[in-house]
Amino acid sequence: MDKVILKEFVIPFKGISKKTIYHFSDSHLTEYDAESDVNEIEHSKKQTTAWEGVRKGFCEAYGCPYGELEMQTAQEHLENLLSCASDGDALVIAGDTMDYINGANLRISEKLFGDYKKPFVQVCGNHEPHKD
């Protein structure tokens, strides 16, 4: 696994023992899989290319390194985050796990979070619109 930067913040509360709660957001899955149709595959490839450009532009604008770690797919990055968070007590995912809702992104999310063994809460972001 490549490097992931984690920061620890201690917030003291009387009577509560130390807990480690990981928090992340904005993985922006743009995936396709063996069950995807041609339209889903084309849209996924287009969005993946767009996000690669965003990451590269951000790194160039702010002087951040841009190498192999930054070229990971959204799925690889999400898998790494979940692996890092597995030693914590709980996980909070604050939206935009998916860049858009499609079958592959739902299947991948279901598999990754179905295999995750710690308590977690996941909320929708603006890329995962709520449908009534």
Side-chain angles (χ1 to χ4, degrees), residues 31-37 40-41 44 102-105 107-108:
E31 307 303 317
Y32 65 90
D33 61 16
E35 295 180 46
S36 299
D37 64 19
E40 191 170 278
I41 292 169
S44 173
N102 74 2
N105 287 336
R107 287 186 291 276
I108 290 164

Side-chain angles (χ1 to χ4, degrees), residues 6-102:
L6 303 173
K7 294 183 181 183
E8 181 177 332
F9 296 93
V10 177
I11 304 172
F13 285 97
K14 190 184 264 187
I16 296 177
S17 62
K18 180 180 177 183
K19 298 288 183 192
T20 301
I21 301 172
Y22 285 88
H23 165 263
F24 59 82
S25 65
D26 297 283
S27 297
H28 288 275
L29 289 174
T30 59
E31 307 303 317
Y32 65 90
D33 61 16
E35 295 180 46
S36 299
D37 64 19
V38 173
N39 291 333
E40 191 170 278
I41 292 169
E42 287 178 13
H43 185 68
S44 173
K45 288 179 178 180
K46 178 182 168 192
Q47 290 304 106
T48 297
T49 299
W51 274 111
E52 288 170 353
V54 168
R55 290 194 308 266
K56 186 175 183 182
F58 182 87
C59 290
E60 289 171 352
Y62 295 99
C64 300
Y66 188 75
E68 221 174 285
L69 177 63
E70 291 76 25
M71 288 303 297
Q72 289 181 328
T73 66
Q75 181 178 346
E76 291 169 332
H77 188 67
L78 182 57
E79 289 170 350
N80 286 339
L81 288 170
L82 289 172
S83 176
C84 289
S86 68
D87 69 349
D89 297 297
L91 172 62
V92 175
I93 304 120
D96 293 346
T97 301
M98 295 175 247
D99 189 54
Y100 52 90
I101 294 176
N102 74 2

Side-chain angles (χ1 to χ4, degrees), residues 100-115:
Y100 52 90
I101 294 176
N102 74 2
N105 287 336
L106 290 169
R107 287 186 291 276
I108 290 164
S109 293
E110 185 175 281
K111 168 83 172 100
L112 292 175
F113 292 108
D115 291 345

